[in-house]
Amino acid sequence: MRGNCGSKRTFGKQLPCPNNSPAIQPDAQLRELLVSTCGASYQHSKACCSQDQVEDLIASTKQASPMISACPACWANFLNFFCTFTCSPDQSTFLNVTETGLSTDQQPIVTKLDFLVSDQYGSGFYDSCKDVKFAATNGYVMDLIGGGAKNWRDMVTFMGREREPLGSPFQIDFPVKDPTDTLKPFEGTTRQCNDTDVQYRCACVDCLPVCPVLPPTPDEKPPCKVFGVSCWGFSLTFIYTVTLGAAIAMFVIRKRISSAKDLIGFEPVTRHEEDEDEDSQHLLDPDQYTSRYVVSALLQEWFYHQGYLCAKHAWRTIGICFGLVAFFSLGWSRFGVETDPVKLWVAPDSISATHKTIFDQNFGPFYRTAQVIVTYKDGRSSIIDEQSFRRLFMINDRIKALQTEQGVTLNDICFHPTGDECVIQSPTGYWQDDISLFSDSWKDEFESCARNPADCLPGFQQPLKPDIILGGFEGEDYLDAKAFIITYVIQNSVDSSIKERAHEWELRYLEFMDDLIHNRVKDIRTEDLRISYSSEASLEIELNKSSNTDIRTVVLSYLVMFLYASLALGRFQVDSPRRLAIDSKFTLGMSGIFIVLASISTSVGIFSFLGYKITLIIAEVIPFLVLAVGVDNIFILCHEFERRKMNHPEESIEECAGRALGRMGPSILLSALSETIAFALGAMVTMPAVSVFAMYAAMAVWVDFLLQVTAFVSCIALDAQRQEEDRVDCMPCLQIQAPQGMDTEGTLPAWVRKYYGPLILNSSVKRIIIAVFVGLLTAGLCLLPSLEIGLDQRLALPSDSYLVPYFNDLDSYFRVGPPVYFVVQDVDPTARHGQQQICARFSTCSDSSIANVLEQERKRPHVSYIEQPAAVWIDDFLHWLNPAIETCCRFKKSNPTVPCGPWDDEDECNICYADKEPGWNISMNGLPEGEEFMRYLGEWIKANPDESCPLAGKAAYGDAIKLNSAGDGVKMSHFRTYHTPMRNQHDFIAGYRSAHRIAEQVSKDTGATVFPYSVFYIFFEQYVDIVPLTLRLLVVAMIAVGLVTAGVLGSTKVALVVVGVVGMIMVDVVGSMVLMGVSLNAVSLVNLVICVGISVEFCSHIARATVEAEGSPDERVFGALVEVGSSVSYFFWVFSFWRLHGPRYLRCITSACTLQLSWSVLSMDLCCFQYCSHWLRMRGHRASTSNPWAGR
């Protein structure tokens, strides 16, 4: 074929004439044109084309030049391919015209032909271009010139497809074999992207073989394993197994040598009735527990006097206490609720918050989005059908037409970078969001557009990649997609008025979506669809929503605790209703619950006055927490008071109350002080919501303790006086005659004394308990490295929130990760050195430049979590100046300061750098610097991209460059890329860490200040050091518990036992977290600190009772278990109720794990105290007269 013979249509491109004559020598003008376009191979050869064909070839390749010319090898192969196709003197050996037609002026034209290409040439061509980037779209040139081809044959097939005006004007087929058996495949020479000729070598960003190999990161090193098990777990298991085996062997040997038996066996100890009464009196009589430690003695003395006075002046004490509560509750006048998620979960002085502020102030806040995901309800059927598309058009039209009461529409607030068209990423964009363009051939059109998005640009002129708008498909099976994904990009701003307008429209959008999913929108039926949605305002709204379920749970919990406390505190004689009305403890239980509420009110009042706003965590959790802790002390005080009355009926109520508080006050102080310190340590967490919660909780627990040892003691005294006077509970003014009450031991204490105590103190059982719980400790330690980090935001939402299914669908269907911006400061891009520190597509760019490093990291996404090529503004800007791209940088000859438009005549324009010496070159010599750089930069950043010049900067880089205040330099700029899809908390945390690792390395290598920014980083900074923070908090908390215990009890060994048991609880709780899928985050960290306090609540009372008791080690522990253990056990049922009904994101840690393990480890605690009691016994008996408590 030779020459042009016309076109198929009036305004179509020219098509070649069918011509089978031999090639001829071109004239001088044609040869010069051929050599300048196709290279020196045509300097002396013949040609099979005309000048008008070569001119058309030049015009066509100019469209690809801005995208391809950055990689010389790809550009050379691209030109060679089409020059060979158009002008090769041997074209008849590899071209075969298979179809001809008539042009508009009735001349024969070629309409279809075969082009036979060898695999070697095709592969070389494809390999040189497959990695070339088109930074403006964070994509590849192959997406545009080859339709995203994965091999050379797909690439040339796309190039040869008839597609006017953007593609070939006629069909070019590339058969695998010649059907005529007369052609030979074209086997030309291709240039490699890492060619030995520097003139053709591409930059690292466009050619993987050119890039240096990055050193491996620690994450790439394989973990240590033995027989498929981690070395850590294997070592611990081996040590435990060997130790247990040795212990069993020693036990067997000792058993054979000695047949000595333990004091207490499996069966209840058989004793004579008189001995039993005497021993019971000895065990239960508080006077027998005379303190031998001065601090404990002083505390007993203090609490005795305090209890006596509170009981004697009960009403005055209650009045003073609740007067103070009312005074501190005045702080409620400054009560406020924090609703901003950033202020809730991000420390104001955190690094990520600082980076966000810098980014927002210089580049503008990240765009707001509203998103809709549409699937069928069964979740398995393809959503790609005509009915679904038509409904999607209708939904999209309705959303675009939404209008608020103030008249705000989507068009008023949307992001539109190139004109008036909003950025709406929707499958309907393949038809310009216009249902009238949706034809019967929609399926073919959809598949074609999905495979080649550049052919079906929406109104905002950016390709719609299938990964952005479709979900639930594999590979390129777009017709099997299970979900439509529609994203409305909304302009964000630091200007509050703009944000308010956007927020107003989003609220209207949420109303419409609620109507849509409930099938209340006219003409749109959604019964068979599952539609999930969100907006920028959704998360804040849903996080701040207090559902009716939560309110009912709080109220129900307090009612149940009131009933439980009333029933458990009272002693009932079923055969006497009158006695039942007197012995009931409803009023006392109510007073205990009221004290809990008063402590919460005091805490809220104090911190509200100091300016700390309350959060939903405080509102939901602290009532449960303080209630559970408070109820524990209520039982302990009441049971001790009842025991005192039963053993010493001759004492007055005031005396009994004083001795009861003197007996239990130090242990209550020990547990309350330990809990307060442990909770207060939670304030060290940087997350505001959690640190404020910790402060509120610490204050509430301490105030609760103060009220319990004052006001509640008065309530006990008043209730005892009522009971002695046979007055009816809840109606004390009513006095009735009733039979005398019977003082009997409670069911639970009796069970502990008769069965549980003897069983657990058997020598064999003690060894089994220690072995089992050391085994649990070993298992917990083995599980520690498997603990996940993060907080799934779905757990913080109400269970009925519409965001829960949205996040589920996002994880299932969204295939694109969040964008990440690497912000560069302290680099002067107007100077050559500064340009080389950030560029990538020039031969003199630094190997450690930000662009080169990002490209190398992108090639190992499993480590870097970076998936897409970076948008490098400096490369596109400097290539925009390339005079070889004649349609980009042009200025009017008549006025050199005015740029030429796309329709200005070439003769009226000067091409930038066309006549400059030194000219534009890949080594950067001669490229603009200083004032010239800024002048060109200003024009480039204002130019809109189009088909003639896609490198123009306004659309892709309009907000990527921040000039200094004088406008003569670049203050900072950002380089945009994308993370891999983030499916879980691990991915988000790993992406955050990787981005910061990259930024720190680039800053170190280049001397620039580089930091990464992504919209989710501010929420994940806390996880960088949450593991060492957790260790510090728990260790400090346990040290504090140990010091307090040693200080109050005067026994270092007992304190070590308490700390050791608490440490075992913590390890077992963390191991249970792994098994239950509970991750480590700021919320669970505070709950772990709470677990320290709760564990102390179990151990401290028994520890003190053991230290103060008399007798043998077994008798000490047995007495402590009977006296205190039964009262403490009521605490377990309180938290068991919380486990079932408390806030769902706290139940697992605080209840199911902690308390059940605490009760179990209580057995281990008792065993340890039994052995510790040997040391206590060796301290000997002190003279009772030296103890001021003994004489009372």
Side-chain angles (χ1 to χ4, degrees), residues 299-300 302-304 306-308 310 637 640 656-666 668 708-710 713 1189:
L299 288 175
Q300 286 178 345
W302 169 267
F303 281 114
Y304 167 75
Q306 177 179 310
Y308 185 86
C310 290
L637 287 173
E640 179 62 26
C656 285
R659 290 187 180 278
L661 185 61
R663 170 75 177 88
M664 290 300 176
I668 294 176
Q708 284 176 338
V709 296
T710 53
V713 172
W1189 175 257

Side-chain angles (χ1 to χ4, degrees), residues 846-1112:
S846 171
D847 287 342
S848 58
S849 71
I850 178 66
N852 272 329
V853 170
L854 287 178
E855 175 57 25
Q856 295 174 66
E857 292 287 354
R858 183 194 64 81
K859 291 165 182 173
R860 53 177 187 181
H862 61 288
V863 174
S864 66
Y865 290 85
I866 291 177
E867 183 177 49
Q868 298 190 19
V872 183
W873 67 268
I874 187 73
D875 286 342
D876 281 3
F877 165 57
L878 294 179
H879 276 278
W880 178 77
L881 297 172
N882 188 350
I885 310 173
E886 299 176 357
T887 56
C888 281
C889 185
R890 302 186 304 163
F891 288 86
K892 292 183 178 294
K893 292 180 178 179
S894 58
N895 187 353
T897 61
V898 178
C900 290
W903 307 110
D904 288 329
D905 191 274
E906 294 181 2
D907 295 334
E908 298 177 358
C909 301
N910 284 325
I911 299 175
C912 302
Y913 278 79
D915 302 318
K916 187 174 181 180
E917 288 295 336
W920 192 98
N921 61 82
I922 203 72
S923 67
M924 303 185 75
N925 292 327
L927 293 185
E929 296 183 83
E931 183 180 351
E932 184 184 25
F933 179 94
M934 294 303 300
R935 178 167 62 86
Y936 282 123
L937 180 67
E939 297 300 332
W940 173 73
I941 206 68
K942 293 186 293 185
N944 275 318
D946 54 26
E947 294 176 5
S948 62
C949 185
L951 293 178
K954 182 177 180 180
Y957 305 107
D959 61 351
I961 302 170
K962 178 67 175 179
L963 304 183
N964 58 25
S965 56
D968 58 358
V970 176
K971 177 183 177 182
M972 66 179 68
S973 61
H974 69 62
F975 297 77
R976 182 187 69 248
T977 182
Y978 285 83
H979 279 298
T980 56
M982 301 296 184
R983 302 298 185 193
N984 49 51
Q985 296 291 294
H986 173 269
D987 290 347
F988 281 106
I989 297 169
Y992 172 90
R993 286 176 170 167
S994 176
H996 281 77
R997 172 186 60 80
I998 295 169
E1000 290 171 4
Q1001 188 62 47
V1002 172
S1003 299
K1004 178 181 177 181
D1005 293 342
T1006 63
T1009 302
V1010 182
F1011 69 83
Y1013 169 75
S1014 189
V1015 68
F1016 70 88
Y1017 282 178
I1018 57 173
F1019 298 108
F1020 286 87
E1021 179 185 348
Q1022 59 179 299
Y1023 300 116
V1024 174
D1025 60 350
I1026 195 169
V1027 172
L1029 175 62
T1030 301
L1031 292 175
R1032 288 199 304 272
L1033 282 180
L1034 295 182
V1035 170
V1036 171
M1038 286 190 288
I1039 290 175
V1041 167
L1043 293 176
V1044 171
T1045 304
V1048 173
L1049 300 183
S1051 172
T1052 304
K1053 291 190 176 182
V1054 172
L1056 290 176
V1057 170
V1058 172
V1059 172
V1061 172
V1062 171
M1064 290 178 62
I1065 294 173
M1066 291 301 100
V1067 172
D1068 289 340
V1069 168
V1070 175
S1072 299
M1073 289 171 61
V1074 175
L1075 298 177
M1076 300 175 67
V1078 179
S1079 58
L1080 178 63
N1081 49 65
V1083 177
S1084 59
L1085 171 55
V1086 168
N1087 278 272
L1088 286 173
V1089 176
I1090 290 174
C1091 286
V1092 175
I1094 294 174
S1095 302
V1096 172
E1097 188 77 26
F1098 277 87
C1099 302
S1100 60
H1101 298 298
I1102 296 177
R1104 185 174 182 276
T1106 303
V1107 170
E1108 298 296 326
E1110 297 288 348
S1112 67

Side-chain angles (χ1 to χ4, degrees), residues 81 125 152-161 172 174:
F81 181 82
F125 181 14
W152 76 267
R153 195 166 293 280
D154 289 344
M155 177 187 71
V156 296
T157 299
F158 179 83
M159 290 178 176
R161 189 176 301 149
I172 306 173
F174 296 87

Side-chain angles (χ1 to χ4, degrees), residues 357-372:
T357 301
I358 294 173
F359 189 91
D360 290 352
Q361 291 176 349
N362 290 277
F363 306 111
F366 189 74
Y367 311 118
R368 305 171 73 96
T369 58
Q371 198 164 55
V372 182

Side-chain angles (χ1 to χ4, degrees), residues 5-168:
C5 289
S7 60
K8 287 184 178 181
R9 52 189 67 88
T10 304
F11 296 102
K13 292 182 179 180
Q14 293 290 309
L15 299 180
C17 309
N19 189 326
N20 201 26
S21 60
I24 60 174
Q25 290 288 344
D27 56 32
Q29 186 176 3
L30 176 57
R31 187 175 297 279
E32 181 181 356
L33 198 61
L34 272 171
V35 172
S36 63
T37 304
C38 298
S41 61
Y42 288 90
Q43 184 70 46
H44 304 290
S45 70
K46 297 180 180 180
C48 198
C49 60
S50 62
Q51 184 167 337
D52 55 353
Q53 282 182 282
V54 177
E55 290 173 350
D56 287 347
L57 173 64
I58 294 172
S60 298
T61 55
K62 278 183 180 179
Q63 293 182 338
S65 177
M67 299 177 287
I68 300 177
S69 58
C71 179
C74 177
W75 179 237
N77 292 334
F78 185 84
L79 287 177
N80 177 260
F81 181 82
F82 285 103
C83 285
T84 299
F85 171 79
T86 305
C87 297
S88 172
D90 301 320
Q91 66 174 220
S92 62
T93 63
F94 49 78
L95 291 182
N96 180 41
V97 176
T98 57
E99 188 177 293
T100 61
L102 295 177
S103 66
T104 55
D105 54 3
Q106 301 303 305
Q107 294 189 55
I109 53 175
V110 175
T111 59
K112 189 176 182 181
L113 57 77
D114 289 340
F115 185 3
L116 205 62
V117 179
S118 68
D119 287 336
Q120 179 183 356
Y121 182 86
S123 297
F125 181 14
Y126 173 79
D127 290 342
S128 67
C129 297
K130 66 180 180 181
D131 291 326
V132 179
K133 311 302 182 301
F134 186 57
T137 62
N138 291 104
Y140 296 87
V141 166
M142 191 57 65
D143 296 335
L144 304 176
I145 68 170
K150 305 301 181 184
N151 55 69
W152 76 267
R153 195 166 293 280
D154 289 344
M155 177 187 71
V156 296
T157 299
F158 179 83
M159 290 178 176
R161 189 176 301 149
E162 183 177 356
R163 294 177 299 116
E164 281 198 274
L166 299 177
S168 174

